[in-house]
């Protein structure tokens, strides 16, 4: 008998959590699992990337607080009658627990991406109220696990770290590039929390200190115009390239020497993992779970509270010390060991089997 899994997510937009869920579902063995995906809204940008075995139900919520929508959700999932309900994002995680109130036999898995810096006291009150109705909580980093143990007071036995994954057949090193300059890359949404202007200022200082640098920026967002203005103000137009929303990210990574991030907050960003899979070296602010990516890689972390001159001097010393061929091999091996699709599939499948077995 196949295990029936209902997945629940707020949207099928192009965010990192949504993309990872699609990747998780597509990795499943459909000879062992029967899958339906329930989407709270009508956003369906990623549906074409889902395996054809997956039935998708859009609930078209206009409001998360409308009780009629709650009843609609419970009825829709009940019709599928899953053994296990796996949800992603805060609202979906809460609704999955509410479903278990009425259908206690279902095993509920909540999947959490990000550190939840936006979470306020009302969210925590709701979260704790329905905490008894979740069987397992997946986190994507040890840092996130620590945050949730301290802030949300999740029991240790309910939490499990399962890393996100990348397609290492797609994200892989290309031939060595022939850059005459040192090329840095930024890959993220251009929003205030990503603090991209800080990276641009670092590149400016490296240029001033004699490093032949260029910066490629992949992404779009609300900060785009202000970042273009900053580049113009710093007279760096010749050295900074805005690539917009890049479709071929492996190609982007293989056009750069170093991925640089100056985010103010992160959990464990998949962009860094993708760059590592391509054998690239990363330079980043020491926030969230990023330090977990430095244990077996050639990489460099800085404190965004430090003086920019100090950071730029440290980066110059770091890049002078790097053996790029050695780093290429070492960084890719780290991803193959910790973030491969096989590891992710095995961890998720084992969790499902254990939960359903323990419920029988």
């Amino acid at each position: 008998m196949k295990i029936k899994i209902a997945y629940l997510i707020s949207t099928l937009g192009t965010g990192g959590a949504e993309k990872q869920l699609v990747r998780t579902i597509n990795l499943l063995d459909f000879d062992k699992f029967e899958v339906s995906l329930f989407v709270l809204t009508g956003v369906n940008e990623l549906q074409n990337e889902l395996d054809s075995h997956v039935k998708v139900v859009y609930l078209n919520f206009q409001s998360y607080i409308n009780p009629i929508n709650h009843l609609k959700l419970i009825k829709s999932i009940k019709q599928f009658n899953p053994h296990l309900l796996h949800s992603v994002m805060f609202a979906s995680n809460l609704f999955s627990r509410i479903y278990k109130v009425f259908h206690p036999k279902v095993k509920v898995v909540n999947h959490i991406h990000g550190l939840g810096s936006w979470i306020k006291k009302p969210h925590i009150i709701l979260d704790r109220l329905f905490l008894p109705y979740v069987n397992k909580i997946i986190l994507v980093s040890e840092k996130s696990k620590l945050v949730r143990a301290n802030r949300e007071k999740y029991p240790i036995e309910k939490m499990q770290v399962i890393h996100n994954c990348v397609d290492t057949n797609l994200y892989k090193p290309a031939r060595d590039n022939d850059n005459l300059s040192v090329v840095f890359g930024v890959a993220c949404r251009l929003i205030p929390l990503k603090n991209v202007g800080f990276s641009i200022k670092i590149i400016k200082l490296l240029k001033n200190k004699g490093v032949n640098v260029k910066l490629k920026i992949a992404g779009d967002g609300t900060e785009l115009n202000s970042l273009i203005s900053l580049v113009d103000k710093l007279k760096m137009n010749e050295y900074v390239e805005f690539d917009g929303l890049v479709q071929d990210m492996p190609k982007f990574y293989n056009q750069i020497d170093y991925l640089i991030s100056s985010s103010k907050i992160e959990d464990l960003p998949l962009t860094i993992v993708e760059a590592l899979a391509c054998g690239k070296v990363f330079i980043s602010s020491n926030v969230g779970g990023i330090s977990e990516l430095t244990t077996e890689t050639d990489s460099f972390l800085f404190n965004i509270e430090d003086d920019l001159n100090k950071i730029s001097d440290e980066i110059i010393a770091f890049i002078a010390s790097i053996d790029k061929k050695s780093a290429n091999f070492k960084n890719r091996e780290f991803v193959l060991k910790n973030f491969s699709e096989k590891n992710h599939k095995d961890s998720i499948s084992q969790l499902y089997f254990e939960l359903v077995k323990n419920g029988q």
Side-chain angles (χ1 to χ4, degrees):
M1 181 184 73
K2 292 184 180 181
I3 294 176
K4 298 180 72 174
I5 305 174
Y7 289 93
L8 180 63
I9 193 167
S10 301
T11 80
L12 267 188
T14 55
E18 295 94 328
K19 288 180 178 179
Q20 180 57 54
L21 179 63
V22 169
R23 194 176 296 119
T24 297
I25 293 173
N26 288 344
L27 289 171
L28 292 177
D29 183 346
F30 292 104
D31 290 330
K32 298 178 181 178
F33 300 103
E34 181 182 348
V35 174
S36 277
L37 172 60
F38 297 85
V39 184
L40 295 182
T41 64
V43 180
N44 62 355
E45 295 167 355
L46 294 179
Q47 180 168 342
N48 290 338
E49 298 183 19
L50 278 164
D51 190 281
S52 59
H53 289 88
V54 182
K55 178 183 177 182
V56 184
V57 178
Y58 294 97
L59 296 164
N60 297 305
F61 277 22
Q62 301 299 316
S63 169
Y64 286 165
I65 62 174
N66 186 338
I68 294 176
N69 287 335
H70 303 173
L71 293 174
K72 179 181 178 181
L73 170 64
I74 292 171
K75 181 180 178 181
S76 296
I77 296 177
K78 176 57 181 174
Q79 287 175 344
F80 180 59
N81 196 24
H83 299 99
L84 191 147
L85 176 55
H86 182 157
S87 58
V88 181
M89 298 180 172
F90 182 86
S92 300
N93 289 341
L94 185 60
F95 285 132
S96 69
R97 299 180 194 184
I98 293 173
Y99 180 85
K100 187 176 176 68
V101 172
F102 298 96
H103 301 284
K105 290 185 178 180
V106 72
K107 298 295 182 179
V108 169
V109 175
N110 287 173
H111 205 147
I112 296 175
H113 297 262
L115 298 181
S117 59
W118 52 271
I119 288 178
K120 308 298 181 186
K121 189 173 181 179
H123 298 103
I124 292 177
I125 291 172
L126 276 173
D127 188 271
R128 290 180 184 169
L129 179 64
F130 289 97
L131 183 59
Y133 300 96
V134 60
N135 297 93
K136 209 72 177 181
I137 301 169
I138 298 175
L139 298 313
V140 302
S141 72
E142 293 294 338
K143 176 67 175 181
S144 182
K145 182 178 179 180
L146 179 62
V147 168
R148 264 61 195 214
N150 292 329
R151 186 179 65 199
E152 280 91 343
K153 307 300 182 186
Y154 289 162
I156 293 297
E157 65 273 13
K158 283 198 174 188
M159 293 190 289
Q160 180 173 340
V161 174
I162 297 180
H163 289 138
N164 290 335
C165 62
V166 298
D167 182 350
T168 52
N169 292 317
L170 179 64
Y171 290 90
K172 59 186 178 181
R175 66 178 181 83
D176 289 340
N177 57 50
D178 301 318
N179 297 327
L180 297 178
S181 54
V182 181
V183 182
F184 290 82
V186 166
C188 66
R189 288 178 297 148
L190 305 184
I191 59 174
L193 279 178
K194 298 300 182 179
N195 200 25
V196 175
F198 196 90
S199 291
I200 293 172
K201 292 175 183 177
I202 288 174
I203 300 303
K204 170 65 174 178
L205 282 173
L206 296 182
K207 183 70 179 175
N208 290 349
K209 294 177 180 182
V211 183
N212 184 13
V213 293
K214 286 193 175 180
L215 175 64
K216 291 171 63 65
I217 299 175
D220 198 359
T222 57
E223 292 285 285
L224 175 60
N225 289 336
S226 64
L227 292 173
I228 291 173
S229 296
L230 176 62
V231 169
D232 186 59
K233 179 181 177 181
L234 295 175
K235 295 181 171 53
M236 289 288 289
N237 306 74
E238 183 181 347
Y239 309 103
V240 179
E241 176 184 311
F242 290 91
D243 293 342
L245 292 173
V246 175
Q247 298 302 316
D248 190 347
M249 286 305 296
K251 181 179 179 181
F252 174 85
Y253 293 126
N254 281 302
Q255 291 174 334
I256 68 175
D257 300 299
Y258 301 93
L259 184 74
I260 184 168
S261 169
S262 48
S263 288
K264 296 176 182 178
I265 187 168
E266 289 284 359
D267 189 349
L268 202 155
L270 208 55
T271 51
I272 293 180
V273 178
E274 291 169 349
L276 289 169
C278 293
K280 301 303 173 180
V281 176
F282 78 89
I283 295 169
S284 175
S285 51
N286 188 5
V287 294
I290 293 179
S291 61
E292 296 170 35
L293 300 174
T294 66
T295 54
E296 301 172 44
T297 64
D298 285 330
S299 49
F300 175 76
L301 299 181
F302 60 84
N303 186 344
I304 56 175
E305 303 300 325
D306 284 348
D307 177 74
L308 274 167
N309 271 304
K310 176 186 176 186
I311 294 171
S312 62
D313 286 341
E314 290 173 342
I315 290 174
I316 289 171
F318 171 70
I319 62 178
S321 71
I322 285 294
D323 179 337
K324 289 177 64 177
K325 288 188 177 180
S326 173
N328 183 292
F329 176 80
K330 183 178 182 180
N331 291 356
R332 178 164 173 80
E333 285 299 304
F334 173 77
V335 175
L336 292 173
K337 176 182 175 182
N338 296 284
F339 294 90
S340 71
E341 289 187 326
K342 182 182 185 305
N343 287 351
H344 184 79
K345 173 186 175 181
D346 290 348
S347 296
I348 289 286
S349 298
Q350 182 180 352
L351 173 62
Y352 291 164
F353 285 128
E354 288 176 354
L355 285 173
V356 173
K357 179 181 178 180
N358 291 339
Q360 292 176 342

